[in-house]
Amino acid sequence: MSDKPSVLFVCVHNAGRSQMAAGWLRHLGGDTVEVRSAGSAPAETVNPAAVQAMLEVGIDITDQTPKLLEYATAESSDVIVTMGCGDACPIFPGKRYEDWKLEDPAGKGIEAVRPIRDEIRSRVEQLLTELRRTA
């Protein structure tokens, strides 16, 4: 792992969970970590309820767009965090993988998305603590 580790968050549509996780890591990690996110079948836009939930805590992800998971991006990432992408996520020997079991916010209102957002924050904080220990 380099001085500045790279973390890739992957979910199917790259519209909710992975976008919120990337937003939290950019916010909490600052310039100490390279943040990436992608999806195996990206949506056209980020989930509006995810955008609203993040704005409520002062994090603006309105400039983000869902991106297709590319082999090179995964291969060059130090940590790959999957969130329900199943077999579509490539496996690279020697990479650190985490699979976060999180409810999918797709089609849910803001009341249902807030607890998902908060769970993601807790997991990102734990990941950051671990990354700082190994840096």
Side-chain angles (χ1 to χ4, degrees):
M1 201 174 299
S2 68
D3 289 343
K4 186 174 179 175
S6 59
V7 177
L8 171 63
F9 294 104
V10 183
C11 66
V12 175
H13 299 298
N14 189 222
R17 294 167 290 188
S18 57
Q19 291 288 352
M20 288 190 287
W24 276 121
L25 188 54
R26 278 190 298 274
H27 178 74
L28 298 169
D31 64 358
T32 65
V33 64
E34 183 180 351
V35 181
R36 306 165 173 183
S37 70
S40 53
E44 289 188 25
T45 61
V46 175
N47 179 334
V51 171
Q52 181 183 352
M54 295 300 285
L55 281 171
E56 288 179 352
V57 294
I59 300 171
D60 186 356
I61 61 171
T62 57
D63 63 339
Q64 300 300 307
T65 56
K67 296 169 219 50
L68 179 64
L69 174 61
E70 295 185 4
Y71 182 92
T73 303
E75 184 179 40
S76 64
S77 297
D78 296 309
V79 179
I80 300 173
V81 178
T82 59
M83 304 172 186
C85 65
D87 294 337
C89 294
I91 302 295
F92 296 95
K95 299 288 177 193
R96 174 179 169 182
Y97 284 88
E98 291 190 17
D99 185 38
W100 293 356
K101 305 286 187 212
L102 296 162
E103 189 175 347
D104 188 349
K108 294 182 172 41
I110 189 65
E111 293 295 329
V113 175
R114 285 182 186 122
I116 300 168
R117 173 202 65 203
D118 297 343
E119 173 68 17
I120 291 171
R121 178 186 180 140
S122 295
R123 291 174 186 240
V124 166
E125 288 172 335
Q126 179 63 36
L127 177 61
L128 255 178
T129 298
E130 292 167 7
L131 289 174
R132 288 177 177 146
R133 263 198 304 256
T134 59

